[in-house]
Amino acid sequence: MNVEEFSRAFHETADEVSRVLLGQREVVEHVLVAVLSRGHVLIEGVPGLGKTLLVRALGQVLSCSFRRIQFTPDLMPSDVTGNNVYNTKAGEFMFVPGPVFTHLLLADEINRAPAKTQAALLEAMQERSVTIDGTTRQLPDPFLVLATQNPVDSQGTYPLPEAQLDRFLLKVHVGYPSVEVERGILKNYLGGFDPGRLEEARLRPLLDVEQLLQMEGVLRSVAVQDEILDYITRIVTRTRSHGSVYVGASPRASVALLSTARAAAAAQGRAFVVPDDVKAYAHGVLRHRLILHPDAELENVSADDVIEGILRETPVPKSAA
Amino acid sequence: MALTNAHAEHEPSGPKTLSWPRRRGPARKLHALSRTAALSSKAALWSKAALCALLLAPDAFGDDTGESDPVAEVLTSPGGAGGAGAEDAPEFWVPDPTIASDTADLLADGDRYRFCQEPGYRLWPHEKDTYCPLAEHLASRCPELPRACERPPYGVSAEKDWSFDLSPDLDWLGAAAGLVRILFWIVLGLGVALLLRALVKNLAEEIQRRRGREAPTPEFVAWTPEAPESPRETDVQRLLARARDEAARGDFAAACGTAYAAALRALEHRHLLELHRSRTNGDYLRQLGAHPEEREQLRGVVREIETVQFGHALPDQALYERILARVTTLVGQAAVLLLFVIAPLVLTGCGDGPVPDAPGAAHGPDGYALLEGLLQRHSSSAGRRVRRLNGSMEAVSTFVALSPNLREEEWEHLMNWVSGGGTLLAAGVPAQLAKRLEYEPEVRSCDTVLDAPGLALVHAKADTFGAFPETSTLVSCGEAPFLVGMDYGEGVVYALADAGWLRNASLAAADNAQLVVQLLASPDGRVELLGPWTGSGANHPLESVHNAGLTPWLLQLLALAVAYAVSRGVRFRSPVEPVREQRRAFVEHAEALANQYARSRASGYALEQYGRWALERIRERVPVRERDLHALAHAVARRTGGEPMAILKILVEVQSAGQIQGAPEEHHRTMQALSRILRDVGGA
């Protein structure tokens, strides 16, 4: 597969998912980029914007196994990873895999589970394996967690600590659709669309695991100039010295930005990365990795504001200005 | 020849027949004698010869004030007899060779007297009508004026209202003119030098850059594209020229980058883009969202240029040509728009040959610079009077009135000064002066030759006076007086019928200057020219404001400012800078800490801490022997009148806050209830 085929497949997949998820094309592409970059995604948005629908549709289009976990305050770690259960007939313990043993895992409202359960999932995200009773079991490849969280719920929630948020490649905001898009959503409903019965939407399975792995291989051939590396490094290191930031982004963020930029370049049909690719994913990669000073929060400065300011002051390589 | 004693009694004021002009002494009398006698030219010649002999004897007529008599000196000095040809010239008006040479010398300055020396000079229509009849008399000193008369006049109408003098004329500054002129040329020279230096430096750098450039790397070597060498160049054409040069040298990488930079600059000049170092090519394309045509053109360039800058594409001629074609389209659009803007400006800037001096310019044909220059050379000092005639004029010996706009009080002041012993030459007799001279203005035209024995005077179209009684005719035109003189108190007034006779082009002709200089030059005093410029200066700023008629406006503005200040109030102390808060208020710290607690969902912990403290305070206020909460709740209920079970519920929630999870709202309600209980029992 070459870059042009990669781009064609990418856009076809995004188009197919966008058939059922209207007005969120950028979100769909961000999630696809994360999938191809082997990174996990944290999707944040108010209820009713189609976060769950997005992941379910993506699972169908990618022909990947898909499981969903609804996180609740009483969810136990074993409910996520699985457990050894004694089989009386066999007279031995048998491992019952948890929902984490899948390609695509939707962790719905991850911030409603207690810290212990979150930690179990996050360990699986990082290691791509689970260890139960001393036995390490590998998770399927690719393994991608798409976690959602509701920013307005505060009762009975357990926000992810910043150190664990760093494990997510991207944090994507899902916003309200425009008036035209919402009208289209209503028309879809009038046409018989039911998100609860997504299989009736007849989404085409365009990619499978093998093709996904091929696409990941294409990314490795995308060239990155030293100037682009300098650009990424300058952006990330600036977050560590910014006046409004208490804790800046780690080198993991630099790697994440590089990975997403390569995927973005390939999605555009280019075999090389340009500064636009870096800029396009800077917000998604960095916004959940910055801990702001309380003073900055008092002044209503958000992480996105800080990132925007850093991008404005960082010279683009080979700028004609 | 009978000499008519034209000597008259001197009176302090009022015009009198000129008989013995104070300053000139015998010469004046001679003049009066020759005129009033109305002798023929030959008889006048002989009579003058006889009288000259008398002049050799001092105090011949007794009323000698002792002042030097320049005319007498001219007559008696070796050169004063008029120089070459003086033996044949009448003794009265003897041409002074220094005046002639000074006139020629002044007119030879082609930078100033352009109408005399500048090839191709063209006259205004009215100048052509006025001065071309004198062309033959000007040929020696003003060779270009006769040629100008053969050319059509300058195209712009002379009736145009020139509200200011376009030619820089600093002569009215007197001695300071030279210094100002030097300073002007120094500043101009510095500016030109800086410009030349920048150009030479730019050129030298360009040459050095071209010489020092290396050959492009061969294809088999890993090639890294370089950014354009002068990314901050903003001129589109220079960028395109540089791109062409780079392409000609084979450096297509730089050429592509430079051409792209030219495209961006062209769009920036059209205000479609804002270039910044932090903006990417995608940002520029998004900025062009409202201009789809330019966006598509630029998108094509961006695609090509990014393969060079960030990909590993080896730029070649074909790539460069493709980029250049798109860039040229973009730049061409800008150039067309620019052309529509510039073309009208260029077309309206077309001239009609070298622009002549503005009508009335000091050194133009209609100016008075020649008169001023000659008087400067032959007087103690001479210059234009810019201040009003309302102060002391002791330093001035002669005024030359060239149609000034004087107020009535200024005429009065001037004539009082004349009657005290000053000399006034009025070119033309305005009404205010005519009234004082008791002259009924009457202007006639004269076509014959001006008569001044010893001098060849010329005129184009001379105006003459009518009957001007009580005066002595110094120069006549036919039978009519052209230049007359009269005593005025202790002073002398000369009246010249034609005010234009003293202008540069007229004065330069024949011996016109001779007459004027001999008449007005004052080696011991200052000669001042009164004209339209008189009154434009001031002794102090307030006078200047008054002269401009701005005093009422300024007073009103001042009154308005005072009223405004009063309405705004007066400060009771000097303003001070507001005290800058170096630290945040405690409440902000508390708020920030509360946000941290809230983010950490630590409401239970907060309730636990607050509850521990509040319970201790309640126990202090309501002491009970038992330590359990049940006794405490009943004691509090008895104190406050509240419901014991409700109070107990709150106390139990507080005590178990650290162990049981709860919602922050619940914790907050519990804290508020506990706070009310504490307040009811007496507070902390």
Side-chain angles (χ1 to χ4, degrees):
Chain A
M1 180 183 284
N2 56 29
V3 172
E4 287 75 23
E5 291 168 345
F6 179 103
S7 176
R8 193 164 45 247
F10 182 93
H11 288 288
E12 281 179 358
T13 305
D15 291 340
E16 191 64 19
V17 173
S18 297
R19 278 207 305 123
V20 295
L21 187 68
L22 304 182
Q24 303 290 353
R25 178 59 183 242
E26 187 178 340
V27 174
V28 171
E29 290 189 358
H30 274 61
V31 171
L32 264 180
V33 162
V35 169
L36 294 166
S37 304
R38 303 178 71 86
H40 310 291
V41 182
L42 180 61
I43 304 174
E44 186 173 271
V46 296
L49 293 180
K51 299 184 294 297
T52 308
L53 178 60
L54 162 64
V55 180
R56 290 174 58 208
L58 192 62
Q60 286 196 10
V61 175
L62 295 180
S63 303
C64 296
S65 61
F66 167 76
R67 299 289 291 275
R68 177 175 178 270
I69 303 176
Q70 178 63 50
F71 279 64
T72 56
D74 58 349
L75 191 70
M76 303 298 290
S78 58
D79 295 333
V80 175
T81 59
N83 209 354
N84 285 321
V85 176
Y86 184 73
N87 189 335
T88 55
K89 285 186 180 178
E92 59 182 5
F93 283 92
M94 291 178 61
F95 175 69
V96 177
V100 76
F101 284 86
T102 183
H103 290 294
L104 291 180
L105 175 65
L106 171 62
D108 229 343
E109 297 188 283
I110 191 173
N111 56 334
R112 294 181 69 85
K116 197 170 181 181
T117 308
Q118 290 175 359
L121 175 62
L122 291 165
E123 181 186 352
M125 287 164 58
Q126 180 65 25
E127 307 296 332
R128 285 183 162 80
S129 64
V130 297
T131 302
I132 300 169
D133 293 339
T135 305
T136 300
R137 300 172 194 278
Q138 292 296 325
L139 297 176
D141 186 30
F143 172 66
L144 173 68
V145 173
L146 293 109
T148 68
Q149 65 180 18
N150 189 341
V152 298
D153 265 345
S154 59
Q155 188 170 357
T157 61
Y158 301 88
L160 289 171
E162 286 77 11
Q164 293 178 339
L165 282 173
D166 195 41
R167 298 181 191 281
F168 287 93
L169 181 74
L170 291 175
K171 181 179 179 183
V172 179
H173 280 305
V174 180
Y176 286 111
S178 64
V179 172
E180 292 78 17
V181 170
E182 192 148 347
R183 193 183 299 123
I185 293 172
L186 296 177
K187 284 189 175 176
N188 273 6
Y189 271 83
L190 286 178
F193 174 72
D194 184 359
R197 291 199 292 267
L198 192 58
E199 58 279 2
E200 294 180 5
R202 300 187 187 281
L203 292 172
R204 292 178 299 156
L206 296 176
L207 297 174
D208 55 20
V209 173
E210 193 62 36
Q211 287 169 311
L212 277 177
L213 293 174
Q214 284 182 12
M215 292 175 78
E216 288 177 13
V218 171
L219 294 185
R220 284 192 283 273
S221 67
V222 174
V224 184
Q225 296 278 347
D226 288 343
E227 289 84 359
I228 300 293
L229 298 180
D230 291 339
Y231 185 50
I232 293 172
T233 308
R234 277 199 300 270
I235 292 172
V236 175
T237 52
R238 182 69 181 101
T239 64
R240 299 166 197 162
S241 60
H242 199 279
S244 297
V245 178
Y246 181 59
V247 176
S250 64
R252 185 183 289 158
S254 302
V255 175
L257 194 50
L258 175 62
S259 303
T260 53
R262 289 174 98 176
Q268 298 295 322
R270 269 184 279 105
F272 50 89
V273 175
V274 297
D276 276 298
D277 302 324
V278 175
K279 250 190 169 181
Y281 285 87
H283 285 269
V285 167
L286 294 173
R287 62 165 58 102
H288 58 291
R289 301 174 198 266
L290 304 185
I291 302 174
L292 300 182
H293 276 296
D295 283 358
E297 293 191 351
L298 273 176
E299 294 168 2
N300 291 325
V301 174
S302 67
D304 280 322
D305 295 334
V306 171
I307 296 165
E308 188 61 37
I310 291 174
L311 291 175
R312 267 202 301 271
E313 69 186 29
T314 307
V316 169
K318 299 182 184 172
S319 168
Chain B
M1 180 190 75
L3 291 178
T4 303
N5 186 5
H7 184 84
E9 294 298 326
H10 292 288
E11 290 184 5
S13 61
K16 289 295 179 185
T17 303
L18 178 65
S19 59
W20 209 254
R22 189 170 187 78
R23 198 159 54 88
R24 297 294 181 177
R28 298 257 184 246
K29 185 175 182 181
L30 171 65
H31 198 55
L33 286 175
S34 65
R35 289 298 99 201
T36 54
L39 295 171
S40 65
S41 58
K42 195 170 183 179
L45 183 69
W46 284 108
S47 64
K48 285 174 188 173
L51 288 172
C52 281
L54 290 175
L55 285 173
L56 294 176
D59 300 327
F61 290 93
D63 193 14
D64 190 352
T65 61
E67 296 176 359
S68 62
D69 183 352
V71 176
E73 288 175 356
V74 168
L75 292 173
T76 57
S77 63
E87 294 82 356
D88 296 328
E91 294 84 348
F92 181 62
W93 294 109
V94 179
D96 184 349
T98 61
I99 296 175
S101 66
D102 287 340
T103 304
D105 184 48
L106 287 170
L107 291 172
D109 186 351
D111 292 333
R112 296 186 178 184
Y113 298 95
R114 295 172 55 214
F115 72 95
C116 283
Q117 310 297 339
E118 184 173 300
Y121 191 87
R122 289 202 285 177
L123 298 169
W124 296 103
H126 78 284
E127 291 173 346
K128 193 174 179 187
D129 294 338
T130 305
Y131 302 114
C132 286
L134 300 176
E136 62 175 310
H137 303 287
L138 289 165
S140 60
R141 295 179 184 141
C142 285
E144 282 301 319
L145 193 139
R147 297 182 194 131
C149 291
E150 296 170 4
R151 303 185 192 106
Y154 194 72
V156 180
S157 169
E159 282 77 34
K160 185 173 180 178
D161 181 23
W162 294 94
S163 58
F164 55 90
D165 186 2
L166 293 178
S167 61
D169 178 22
L170 302 173
D171 294 339
W172 61 274
L173 288 175
L179 177 63
V180 173
R181 197 170 285 119
I182 290 171
L183 285 175
F184 169 75
W185 285 111
I186 288 174
V187 170
L188 186 64
L190 279 175
V192 171
L194 286 172
L195 183 65
L196 285 175
R197 179 174 174 272
L199 287 171
V200 169
K201 187 179 173 186
N202 201 10
L203 187 63
E205 284 177 356
E206 185 67 21
I207 293 172
Q208 198 171 6
R209 230 189 343 265
R210 290 182 187 183
R211 284 181 186 163
R213 186 179 297 280
E214 297 175 359
T217 52
E219 289 186 3
F220 58 87
V221 175
W223 171 82
T224 305
E226 294 178 355
E229 288 189 352
S230 300
R232 297 188 188 275
E233 174 65 75
T234 59
D235 186 82
V236 175
Q237 295 307 319
R238 276 205 295 267
L239 285 169
L240 288 177
R242 183 191 295 175
R244 282 191 285 271
D245 291 340
E246 289 164 346
R249 288 194 304 274
D251 189 356
F252 295 111
C256 292
T258 305
Y260 176 54
L264 291 180
R265 289 296 174 188
L267 292 170
E268 184 189 41
H269 293 161
R270 290 169 59 190
H271 303 288
L272 299 181
L273 287 184
E274 278 186 38
L275 300 196
H276 192 271
R277 293 187 308 155
S278 70
R279 296 209 168 119
T280 62
N281 298 328
D283 292 333
Y284 296 140
L285 290 175
R286 280 184 284 275
Q287 282 188 44
L288 291 174
H291 304 273
E293 189 178 335
E294 286 82 358
R295 183 176 182 173
E296 282 312 305
Q297 290 287 342
L298 189 66
R299 189 194 301 275
V301 178
V302 164
R303 283 192 187 126
E304 304 269 19
I305 203 69
E306 283 183 343
T307 61
V308 173
Q309 289 184 337
F310 301 107
H312 285 300
L314 290 176
D316 54 9
Q317 179 81 20
L319 177 66
Y320 166 72
E321 296 284 346
R322 287 198 302 274
I323 291 176
L324 187 64
R326 290 179 185 271
V327 168
T328 305
T329 306
L330 279 168
V331 172
Q333 291 167 346
V336 166
L337 286 175
L338 208 60
L339 190 64
F340 276 114
V341 171
I342 290 181
L345 297 176
V346 170
L347 291 174
T348 54
C350 289
D352 191 13
V355 180
D357 291 327
H363 290 86
D366 279 343
Y368 294 105
L370 182 61
L371 172 66
E372 190 178 344
L374 288 171
L375 290 174
Q376 282 174 350
R377 292 194 180 195
H378 293 269
S379 303
S380 169
S381 67
R384 296 190 183 189
R385 176 130 185 147
V386 295
R387 298 190 308 273
R388 287 280 174 198
L389 291 178
N390 53 8
S392 173
M393 298 186 292
E394 286 181 359
V396 183
S397 61
T398 304
F399 277 110
V400 182
L402 303 168
S403 307
N405 296 320
L406 301 180
R407 300 171 185 157
E408 183 62 31
E409 59 269 22
E410 288 180 298
W411 278 112
E412 187 67 30
H413 189 63
L414 177 63
M415 299 314 293
N416 287 339
W417 172 84
V418 174
S419 69
T423 303
L424 170 68
L425 169 65
V429 180
Q432 296 101 321
L433 182 59
K435 178 180 65 178
R436 288 171 171 82
L437 298 180
E438 299 174 1
Y439 164 67
E440 196 66 33
E442 181 186 355
V443 177
R444 300 176 184 171
S445 291
C446 174
D447 297 327
T448 59
V449 180
L450 291 175
D451 186 13
L455 296 177
L457 304 180
V458 296
H459 70 93
K461 298 176 194 174
D463 292 333
T464 64
F465 294 117
F468 207 138
E470 308 294 332
T471 61
S472 300
T473 302
L474 304 181
V475 177
S476 62
C477 184
E479 296 295 325
F482 179 74
L483 171 66
V484 299
M486 71 201 75
D487 289 337
Y488 191 88
E490 299 292 322
V492 177
V493 175
Y494 297 105
L496 182 66
D498 189 343
W501 199 67
L502 297 180
R503 297 183 187 270
N504 292 338
S506 174
L507 207 62
D511 289 335
N512 293 359
Q514 289 278 348
L515 174 74
V516 175
V517 174
Q518 291 190 30
L519 195 64
L520 298 176
S522 172
D524 300 326
R526 177 172 171 79
V527 180
E528 288 197 348
L529 306 182
L530 304 175
W533 50 84
T534 303
S536 62
N539 293 319
H540 52 81
L542 291 179
E543 185 181 343
S544 176
V545 169
H546 177 67
N547 291 341
L550 291 176
T551 304
W553 294 100
L554 284 182
L555 287 175
Q556 289 180 41
L557 282 175
L558 184 63
L560 187 64
V562 169
Y564 178 73
V566 170
S567 71
R568 293 285 292 178
V570 180
R571 286 199 208 99
F572 57 86
R573 57 165 289 180
S574 58
V576 294
E577 288 290 332
V579 176
R580 292 183 58 186
E581 283 196 23
Q582 301 294 333
R583 298 165 56 187
R584 289 192 178 274
F586 176 76
V587 65
E588 291 181 303
H589 288 291
E591 198 177 320
L593 191 62
N595 283 338
Q596 291 285 14
Y597 269 80
R599 197 178 307 112
S600 306
R601 300 290 190 266
S603 57
Y605 175 76
L607 176 59
E608 183 185 4
Q609 297 300 312
Y610 175 71
R612 189 175 301 145
W613 174 84
L615 277 175
E616 288 297 320
R617 300 289 82 73
I618 291 173
R619 286 183 194 282
E620 288 172 3
R621 290 282 181 265
V622 187
V624 290
R625 209 167 28 193
E626 298 83 0
R627 292 292 296 179
D628 61 299
L629 292 179
H630 187 269
L632 181 60
H634 277 84
V636 170
R638 281 196 297 273
R639 172 75 67 88
T640 63
E643 181 59 39
M645 295 313 293
I647 294 172
L648 179 62
K649 179 175 181 288
I650 291 169
L651 295 180
V652 168
E653 284 179 5
V654 169
Q655 200 166 51
S656 59
Q659 290 103 35
I660 299 176
Q661 288 287 348
E665 292 80 10
E666 294 172 3
H667 294 149
H668 188 226
R669 278 194 294 272
T670 306
M671 288 173 71
Q672 283 181 322
L674 184 62
S675 173
R676 278 196 296 274
I677 292 172
L678 179 60
R679 187 191 63 217
D680 290 343
V681 299

